[in-house]
PDB file of all heavy atoms in Angstrom:
ATOM      1  N   GLY A  25      45.813-185.447 -42.395  1.00 56.00           N
ATOM      2  CA  GLY A  25      46.314-186.078 -41.186  1.00 56.00           C
ATOM      3  C   GLY A  25      47.802-186.268 -41.128  1.00 56.00           C
ATOM      4  O   GLY A  25      48.324-186.704 -40.126  1.00 56.00           O
ATOM      5  N   VAL A  26      48.537-185.948 -42.180  1.00 62.00           N
ATOM      6  CA  VAL A  26      49.985-186.144 -42.187  1.00 62.00           C
ATOM      7  C   VAL A  26      50.650-184.911 -41.611  1.00 62.00           C
ATOM      8  O   VAL A  26      50.413-183.802 -42.051  1.00 62.00           O
ATOM      9  CB  VAL A  26      50.514-186.401 -43.614  1.00 62.00           C
ATOM     10  CG1 VAL A  26      52.027-186.554 -43.600  1.00 62.00           C
ATOM     11  CG2 VAL A  26      49.857-187.623 -44.214  1.00 62.00           C
ATOM     12  N   ARG A  27      51.478-185.124 -40.603  1.00 59.00           N
ATOM     13  CA  ARG A  27      52.189-184.026 -39.983  1.00 59.00           C
ATOM     14  C   ARG A  27      53.665-184.117 -40.305  1.00 59.00           C
ATOM     15  O   ARG A  27      54.275-185.149 -40.114  1.00 59.00           O
ATOM     16  CB  ARG A  27      51.998-184.049 -38.468  1.00 59.00           C
ATOM     17  CG  ARG A  27      50.651-183.530 -38.067  1.00 59.00           C
ATOM     18  CD  ARG A  27      50.286-183.900 -36.668  1.00 59.00           C
ATOM     19  NE  ARG A  27      50.314-185.344 -36.399  1.00 59.00           N
ATOM     20  CZ  ARG A  27      49.462-186.218 -36.921  1.00 59.00           C
ATOM     21  NH1 ARG A  27      48.536-185.833 -37.755  1.00 59.00           N
ATOM     22  NH2 ARG A  27      49.526-187.488 -36.611  1.00 59.00           N
ATOM     23  N   ALA A  28      54.207-183.023 -40.804  1.00 58.00           N
ATOM     24  CA  ALA A  28      55.656-182.927 -40.972  1.00 58.00           C
ATOM     25  C   ALA A  28      56.172-182.395 -39.653  1.00 58.00           C
ATOM     26  O   ALA A  28      55.827-181.301 -39.233  1.00 58.00           O
ATOM     27  CB  ALA A  28      56.012-181.995 -42.106  1.00 58.00           C
ATOM     28  N   ALA A  29      56.934-183.196 -38.984  1.00 54.00           N
ATOM     29  CA  ALA A  29      57.325-182.866 -37.634  1.00 54.00           C
ATOM     30  C   ALA A  29      58.425-181.832 -37.604  1.00 54.00           C
ATOM     31  O   ALA A  29      59.299-181.816 -38.444  1.00 54.00           O
ATOM     32  CB  ALA A  29      57.790-184.134 -36.934  1.00 54.00           C
ATOM     33  N   GLY A  30      58.352-180.979 -36.615  1.00 52.00           N
ATOM     34  CA  GLY A  30      59.438-180.044 -36.373  1.00 52.00           C
ATOM     35  C   GLY A  30      60.612-180.818 -35.812  1.00 52.00           C
ATOM     36  O   GLY A  30      60.484-181.538 -34.844  1.00 52.00           O
ATOM     37  N   LEU A  31      61.745-180.687 -36.439  1.00 49.00           N
ATOM     38  CA  LEU A  31      62.914-181.442 -35.998  1.00 49.00           C
ATOM     39  C   LEU A  31      63.671-180.636 -34.961  1.00 49.00           C
ATOM     40  O   LEU A  31      63.115-179.863 -34.242  1.00 49.00           O
ATOM     41  CB  LEU A  31      63.785-181.794 -37.206  1.00 49.00           C
ATOM     42  CG  LEU A  31      63.049-182.649 -38.241  1.00 49.00           C
ATOM     43  CD1 LEU A  31      63.923-182.870 -39.456  1.00 49.00           C
ATOM     44  CD2 LEU A  31      62.623-183.972 -37.662  1.00 49.00           C
ATOM     45  N   GLY A  32      64.927-180.809 -34.907  1.00 50.00           N
ATOM     46  CA  GLY A  32      65.712-180.115 -33.907  1.00 50.00           C
ATOM     47  C   GLY A  32      65.796-180.960 -32.657  1.00 50.00           C
ATOM     48  O   GLY A  32      65.245-182.037 -32.581  1.00 50.00           O
ATOM     49  N   GLY A  33      66.491-180.482 -31.689  1.00 51.00           N
ATOM     50  CA  GLY A  33      66.677-181.265 -30.480  1.00 51.00           C
ATOM     51  C   GLY A  33      68.067-181.834 -30.453  1.00 51.00           C
ATOM     52  O   GLY A  33      68.909-181.533 -31.280  1.00 51.00           O
ATOM     53  N   SER A  34      68.324-182.676 -29.499  1.00 51.00           N
ATOM     54  CA  SER A  34      69.686-183.134 -29.262  1.00 51.00           C
ATOM     55  C   SER A  34      70.107-184.290 -30.149  1.00 51.00           C
ATOM     56  O   SER A  34      71.282-184.580 -30.252  1.00 51.00           O
ATOM     57  CB  SER A  34      69.824-183.547 -27.797  1.00 51.00           C
ATOM     58  OG  SER A  34      69.028-184.688 -27.552  1.00 51.00           O
ATOM     59  N   GLY A  35      69.173-184.999 -30.765  1.00 53.00           N
ATOM     60  CA  GLY A  35      69.551-186.174 -31.549  1.00 53.00           C
ATOM     61  C   GLY A  35      69.846-187.377 -30.680  1.00 53.00           C
ATOM     62  O   GLY A  35      70.343-188.382 -31.154  1.00 53.00           O
ATOM     63  N   SER A  36      69.568-187.285 -29.382  1.00 68.00           N
ATOM     64  CA  SER A  36      69.842-188.381 -28.466  1.00 68.00           C
ATOM     65  C   SER A  36      68.726-189.412 -28.535  1.00 68.00           C
ATOM     66  O   SER A  36      67.675-189.184 -29.129  1.00 68.00           O
ATOM     67  CB  SER A  36      69.948-187.840 -27.039  1.00 68.00           C
ATOM     68  OG  SER A  36      68.695-187.364 -26.617  1.00 68.00           O
ATOM     69  N   SER A  37      68.952-190.539 -27.902  1.00 74.00           N
ATOM     70  CA  SER A  37      67.905-191.562 -27.877  1.00 74.00           C
ATOM     71  C   SER A  37      66.684-191.050 -27.126  1.00 74.00           C
ATOM     72  O   SER A  37      65.558-191.424 -27.446  1.00 74.00           O
ATOM     73  CB  SER A  37      68.428-192.862 -27.272  1.00 74.00           C
ATOM     74  OG  SER A  37      68.876-192.648 -25.951  1.00 74.00           O
ATOM     75  N   GLU A  38      66.889-190.158 -26.132  1.00 80.00           N
ATOM     76  CA  GLU A  38      65.755-189.559 -25.435  1.00 80.00           C
ATOM     77  C   GLU A  38      64.956-188.687 -26.395  1.00 80.00           C
ATOM     78  O   GLU A  38      63.726-188.654 -26.343  1.00 80.00           O
ATOM     79  CB  GLU A  38      66.220-188.725 -24.233  1.00 80.00           C
ATOM     80  CG  GLU A  38      66.832-189.539 -23.118  1.00 80.00           C
ATOM     81  CD  GLU A  38      68.304-189.873 -23.352  1.00 80.00           C
ATOM     82  OE1 GLU A  38      68.953-189.222 -24.202  1.00 80.00           O
ATOM     83  OE2 GLU A  38      68.790-190.793 -22.698  1.00 80.00           O
ATOM     84  N   HIS A  39      65.657-187.977 -27.272  1.00 78.00           N
ATOM     85  CA  HIS A  39      64.992-187.142 -28.281  1.00 78.00           C
ATOM     86  C   HIS A  39      64.170-188.025 -29.213  1.00 78.00           C
ATOM     87  O   HIS A  39      63.022-187.719 -29.508  1.00 78.00           O
ATOM     88  CB  HIS A  39      66.046-186.348 -29.062  1.00 78.00           C
ATOM     89  CG  HIS A  39      65.485-185.532 -30.167  1.00 78.00           C
ATOM     90  ND1 HIS A  39      65.847-185.719 -31.471  1.00 78.00           N
ATOM     91  CD2 HIS A  39      64.566-184.532 -30.171  1.00 78.00           C
ATOM     92  CE1 HIS A  39      65.179-184.862 -32.229  1.00 78.00           C
ATOM     93  NE2 HIS A  39      64.403-184.132 -31.467  1.00 78.00           N
ATOM     94  N   LEU A  40      64.747-189.134 -29.668  1.00 81.00           N
ATOM     95  CA  LEU A  40      64.010-190.048 -30.545  1.00 81.00           C
ATOM     96  C   LEU A  40      62.802-190.625 -29.828  1.00 81.00           C
ATOM     97  O   LEU A  40      61.727-190.737 -30.412  1.00 81.00           O
ATOM     98  CB  LEU A  40      64.918-191.173 -31.034  1.00 81.00           C
ATOM     99  CG  LEU A  40      66.011-190.773 -32.007  1.00 81.00           C
ATOM    100  CD1 LEU A  40      66.906-191.975 -32.315  1.00 81.00           C
ATOM    101  CD2 LEU A  40      65.435-190.197 -33.278  1.00 81.00           C
ATOM    102  N   ASP A  41      62.970-190.969 -28.573  1.00 83.00           N
ATOM    103  CA  ASP A  41      61.855-191.504 -27.801  1.00 83.00           C
ATOM    104  C   ASP A  41      60.729-190.481 -27.708  1.00 83.00           C
ATOM    105  O   ASP A  41      59.553-190.817 -27.883  1.00 83.00           O
ATOM    106  CB  ASP A  41      62.333-191.903 -26.406  1.00 83.00           C
ATOM    107  CG  ASP A  41      61.271-192.642 -25.618  1.00 83.00           C
ATOM    108  OD1 ASP A  41      60.695-193.610 -26.173  1.00 83.00           O
ATOM    109  OD2 ASP A  41      61.014-192.246 -24.472  1.00 83.00           O
ATOM    110  N   ALA A  42      61.082-189.220 -27.486  1.00 83.00           N
ATOM    111  CA  ALA A  42      60.077-188.159 -27.402  1.00 83.00           C
ATOM    112  C   ALA A  42      59.356-187.981 -28.738  1.00 83.00           C
ATOM    113  O   ALA A  42      58.159-187.696 -28.766  1.00 83.00           O
ATOM    114  CB  ALA A  42      60.733-186.844 -26.981  1.00 83.00           C
ATOM    115  N   LEU A  43      60.069-188.154 -29.845  1.00 81.00           N
ATOM    116  CA  LEU A  43      59.460-188.012 -31.162  1.00 81.00           C
ATOM    117  C   LEU A  43      58.391-189.070 -31.412  1.00 81.00           C
ATOM    118  O   LEU A  43      57.482-188.860 -32.202  1.00 81.00           O
ATOM    119  CB  LEU A  43      60.515-188.111 -32.264  1.00 81.00           C
ATOM    120  CG  LEU A  43      61.563-187.011 -32.330  1.00 81.00           C
ATOM    121  CD1 LEU A  43      62.552-187.302 -33.457  1.00 81.00           C
ATOM    122  CD2 LEU A  43      60.930-185.651 -32.509  1.00 81.00           C
ATOM    123  N   MET A  44      58.511-190.202 -30.741  1.00 83.00           N
ATOM    124  CA  MET A  44      57.623-191.329 -31.015  1.00 83.00           C
ATOM    125  C   MET A  44      56.546-191.528 -29.953  1.00 83.00           C
ATOM    126  O   MET A  44      55.983-192.595 -29.841  1.00 83.00           O
ATOM    127  CB  MET A  44      58.464-192.599 -31.160  1.00 83.00           C
ATOM    128  CG  MET A  44      59.407-192.526 -32.341  1.00 83.00           C
ATOM    129  SD  MET A  44      60.335-194.034 -32.632  1.00 83.00           S
ATOM    130  CE  MET A  44      61.619-193.878 -31.406  1.00 83.00           C
ATOM    131  N   LYS A  45      56.231-190.488 -29.184  1.00 85.00           N
ATOM    132  CA  LYS A  45      55.252-190.669 -28.113  1.00 85.00           C
ATOM    133  C   LYS A  45      53.958-189.894 -28.277  1.00 85.00           C
ATOM    134  O   LYS A  45      53.138-189.941 -27.381  1.00 85.00           O
ATOM    135  CB  LYS A  45      55.891-190.312 -26.772  1.00 85.00           C
ATOM    136  CG  LYS A  45      56.851-191.372 -26.310  1.00 85.00           C
ATOM    137  CD  LYS A  45      57.246-191.174 -24.892  1.00 85.00           C
ATOM    138  CE  LYS A  45      58.104-192.344 -24.462  1.00 85.00           C
ATOM    139  NZ  LYS A  45      58.635-192.190 -23.134  1.00 85.00           N
ATOM    140  N   THR A  46      53.754-189.223 -29.378  1.00 79.00           N
ATOM    141  CA  THR A  46      52.540-188.432 -29.524  1.00 79.00           C
ATOM    142  C   THR A  46      51.566-189.038 -30.521  1.00 79.00           C
ATOM    143  O   THR A  46      50.373-189.064 -30.278  1.00 79.00           O
ATOM    144  CB  THR A  46      52.880-186.989 -29.950  1.00 79.00           C
ATOM    145  OG1 THR A  46      53.755-186.445 -28.979  1.00 79.00           O
ATOM    146  CG2 THR A  46      51.642-186.137 -30.047  1.00 79.00           C
ATOM    147  N   ASP A  47      52.060-189.519 -31.656  1.00 84.00           N
ATOM    148  CA  ASP A  47      51.198-190.098 -32.686  1.00 84.00           C
ATOM    149  C   ASP A  47      51.289-191.613 -32.677  1.00 84.00           C
ATOM    150  O   ASP A  47      52.278-192.184 -32.239  1.00 84.00           O
ATOM    151  CB  ASP A  47      51.607-189.573 -34.066  1.00 84.00           C
ATOM    152  CG  ASP A  47      51.293-188.099 -34.209  1.00 84.00           C
ATOM    153  OD1 ASP A  47      50.096-187.752 -34.156  1.00 84.00           O
ATOM    154  OD2 ASP A  47      52.231-187.303 -34.364  1.00 84.00           O
ATOM    155  N   LYS A  48      50.245-192.245 -33.180  1.00 87.00           N
ATOM    156  CA  LYS A  48      50.237-193.706 -33.256  1.00 87.00           C
ATOM    157  C   LYS A  48      51.233-194.220 -34.271  1.00 87.00           C
ATOM    158  O   LYS A  48      51.789-195.296 -34.119  1.00 87.00           O
ATOM    159  CB  LYS A  48      48.845-194.217 -33.612  1.00 87.00           C
ATOM    160  CG  LYS A  48      47.848-194.043 -32.504  1.00 87.00           C
ATOM    161  CD  LYS A  48      46.514-194.616 -32.887  1.00 87.00           C
ATOM    162  CE  LYS A  48      45.523-194.425 -31.761  1.00 87.00           C
ATOM    163  NZ  LYS A  48      44.227-194.991 -32.085  1.00 87.00           N
ATOM    164  N   VAL A  49      51.439-193.451 -35.350  1.00 91.00           N
ATOM    165  CA  VAL A  49      52.352-193.869 -36.417  1.00 91.00           C
ATOM    166  C   VAL A  49      53.309-192.725 -36.701  1.00 91.00           C
ATOM    167  O   VAL A  49      52.909-191.578 -36.846  1.00 91.00           O
ATOM    168  CB  VAL A  49      51.584-194.232 -37.711  1.00 91.00           C
ATOM    169  CG1 VAL A  49      52.544-194.640 -38.819  1.00 91.00           C
ATOM    170  CG2 VAL A  49      50.573-195.333 -37.447  1.00 91.00           C
ATOM    171  N   VAL A  50      54.586-193.060 -36.771  1.00 91.00           N
ATOM    172  CA  VAL A  50      55.609-192.080 -37.139  1.00 91.00           C
ATOM    173  C   VAL A  50      56.525-192.739 -38.160  1.00 91.00           C
ATOM    174  O   VAL A  50      56.821-193.929 -38.059  1.00 91.00           O
ATOM    175  CB  VAL A  50      56.400-191.590 -35.905  1.00 91.00           C
ATOM    176  CG1 VAL A  50      57.198-192.692 -35.255  1.00 91.00           C
ATOM    177  CG2 VAL A  50      57.313-190.445 -36.260  1.00 91.00           C
ATOM    178  N   VAL A  51      56.907-191.975 -39.166  1.00 93.00           N
ATOM    179  CA  VAL A  51      57.833-192.497 -40.176  1.00 93.00           C
ATOM    180  C   VAL A  51      58.987-191.521 -40.347  1.00 93.00           C
ATOM    181  O   VAL A  51      58.808-190.309 -40.259  1.00 93.00           O
ATOM    182  CB  VAL A  51      57.149-192.757 -41.540  1.00 93.00           C
ATOM    183  CG1 VAL A  51      56.152-193.886 -41.431  1.00 93.00           C
ATOM    184  CG2 VAL A  51      56.493-191.517 -42.091  1.00 93.00           C
ATOM    185  N   PHE A  52      60.161-192.074 -40.549  1.00 92.00           N
ATOM    186  CA  PHE A  52      61.347-191.299 -40.851  1.00 92.00           C
ATOM    187  C   PHE A  52      61.646-191.549 -42.323  1.00 92.00           C
ATOM    188  O   PHE A  52      61.942-192.678 -42.713  1.00 92.00           O
ATOM    189  CB  PHE A  52      62.515-191.739 -39.968  1.00 92.00           C
ATOM    190  CG  PHE A  52      62.261-191.467 -38.510  1.00 92.00           C
ATOM    191  CD1 PHE A  52      61.745-192.454 -37.687  1.00 92.00           C
ATOM    192  CD2 PHE A  52      62.530-190.223 -37.964  1.00 92.00           C
ATOM    193  CE1 PHE A  52      61.497-192.210 -36.346  1.00 92.00           C
ATOM    194  CE2 PHE A  52      62.286-189.967 -36.623  1.00 92.00           C
ATOM    195  CZ  PHE A  52      61.773-190.960 -35.810  1.00 92.00           C
ATOM    196  N   LEU A  53      61.534-190.501 -43.125  1.00 93.00           N
ATOM    197  CA  LEU A  53      61.658-190.636 -44.573  1.00 93.00           C
ATOM    198  C   LEU A  53      62.819-189.810 -45.103  1.00 93.00           C
ATOM    199  O   LEU A  53      63.215-188.821 -44.490  1.00 93.00           O
ATOM    200  CB  LEU A  53      60.386-190.122 -45.267  1.00 93.00           C
ATOM    201  CG  LEU A  53      59.054-190.729 -44.883  1.00 93.00           C
ATOM    202  CD1 LEU A  53      57.922-189.919 -45.498  1.00 93.00           C
ATOM    203  CD2 LEU A  53      58.991-192.171 -45.328  1.00 93.00           C
ATOM    204  N   LYS A  54      63.299-190.189 -46.254  1.00 94.00           N
ATOM    205  CA  LYS A  54      64.136-189.298 -47.050  1.00 94.00           C
ATOM    206  C   LYS A  54      63.159-188.557 -47.945  1.00 94.00           C
ATOM    207  O   LYS A  54      62.582-189.126 -48.855  1.00 94.00           O
ATOM    208  CB  LYS A  54      65.138-190.077 -47.890  1.00 94.00           C
ATOM    209  CG  LYS A  54      66.245-190.704 -47.076  1.00 94.00           C
ATOM    210  CD  LYS A  54      67.236-191.409 -47.981  1.00 94.00           C
ATOM    211  CE  LYS A  54      68.348-192.047 -47.171  1.00 94.00           C
ATOM    212  NZ  LYS A  54      69.255-192.811 -48.035  1.00 94.00           N
ATOM    213  N   GLY A  55      62.926-187.289 -47.620  1.00 95.00           N
ATOM    214  CA  GLY A  55      61.926-186.504 -48.330  1.00 95.00           C
ATOM    215  C   GLY A  55      60.655-186.396 -47.499  1.00 95.00           C
ATOM    216  O   GLY A  55      60.680-186.548 -46.279  1.00 95.00           O
ATOM    217  N   THR A  56      59.566-186.124 -48.184  1.00 94.00           N
ATOM    218  CA  THR A  56      58.270-185.958 -47.528  1.00 94.00           C
ATOM    219  C   THR A  56      57.285-186.952 -48.130  1.00 94.00           C
ATOM    220  O   THR A  56      57.550-187.504 -49.206  1.00 94.00           O
ATOM    221  CB  THR A  56      57.737-184.531 -47.764  1.00 94.00           C
ATOM    222  OG1 THR A  56      57.493-184.350 -49.160  1.00 94.00           O
ATOM    223  CG2 THR A  56      58.712-183.471 -47.260  1.00 94.00           C
ATOM    224  N   PRO A  57      56.136-187.155 -47.491  1.00 94.00           N
ATOM    225  CA  PRO A  57      55.152-188.058 -48.091  1.00 94.00           C
ATOM    226  C   PRO A  57      54.709-187.597 -49.480  1.00 94.00           C
ATOM    227  O   PRO A  57      54.440-188.415 -50.351  1.00 94.00           O
ATOM    228  CB  PRO A  57      53.980-188.016 -47.103  1.00 94.00           C
ATOM    229  CG  PRO A  57      54.614-187.695 -45.796  1.00 94.00           C
ATOM    230  CD  PRO A  57      55.738-186.741 -46.139  1.00 94.00           C
TER     231      PRO A  57
END
């Protein structure tokens, strides 16, 4: 169930908002799980 998300995008707050709208839980890590 762990998804390593495809990054990229503008890095804007809209981009961050879009990153957090699909899964119930999202984590920003240094490294991977």
Side-chain angles (χ1 to χ4, degrees):
V26 178
R27 283 163 304 292
L31 300 176
S34 67
S36 67
S37 60
E38 293 83 17
H39 176 240
L40 291 175
D41 188 50
L43 294 178
M44 297 184 280
K45 286 192 175 175
T46 303
D47 291 297
K48 290 182 180 181
V49 179
V50 64
V51 293
F52 296 95
L53 304 170
K54 289 182 180 176
T56 64

